Amino acid sequence: MSTNDATVTPLRPKRPCPECGRPSARETYPFCSTRCKELDLNRWLKGVYVLPGVDNDADTEEKAPEPPRD
């Protein structure tokens, strides 16, 4: 049974690599190479991909409960 590459459906569509923009590779999806995959992992480990948070101290000072009135 012979298979033609044109009739085989890829498991994932090729997308641009998030690091360099080249087409992604099956082995390192969604990246194009091991190098780009490791660059992204390094950024995660260094904390580059951090979402800014809200300062909780400022919220608690503004919303302090009022004392009950007699």
Side-chain angles (χ1 to χ4, degrees), residues 1-58:
M1 184 165 156
S2 65
T3 59
N4 187 356
D5 288 335
T7 61
V8 177
T9 305
L11 295 176
R12 297 180 181 125
K14 286 195 176 196
R15 295 190 175 154
C17 175
E19 290 295 321
C20 67
R22 291 185 290 182
S24 61
R26 181 180 231 172
E27 301 82 26
T28 56
Y29 188 83
F31 303 99
C32 67
S33 64
T34 304
R35 177 185 172 275
C36 285
K37 189 175 184 177
E38 289 175 355
L39 284 172
D40 185 70
L41 176 62
N42 187 31
R43 288 190 182 120
W44 275 103
L45 295 175
K46 284 185 172 182
V48 175
Y49 299 132
V50 176
L51 297 175
V54 179
D55 188 13
N56 289 336
D57 293 337

Side-chain angles (χ1 to χ4, degrees), residues 50-70:
V50 176
L51 297 175
V54 179
D55 188 13
N56 289 336
D57 293 337
D59 290 342
T60 56
E61 290 175 7
E62 292 174 8
K63 298 179 182 177
E66 293 182 16
R69 295 184 179 177
D70 290 324

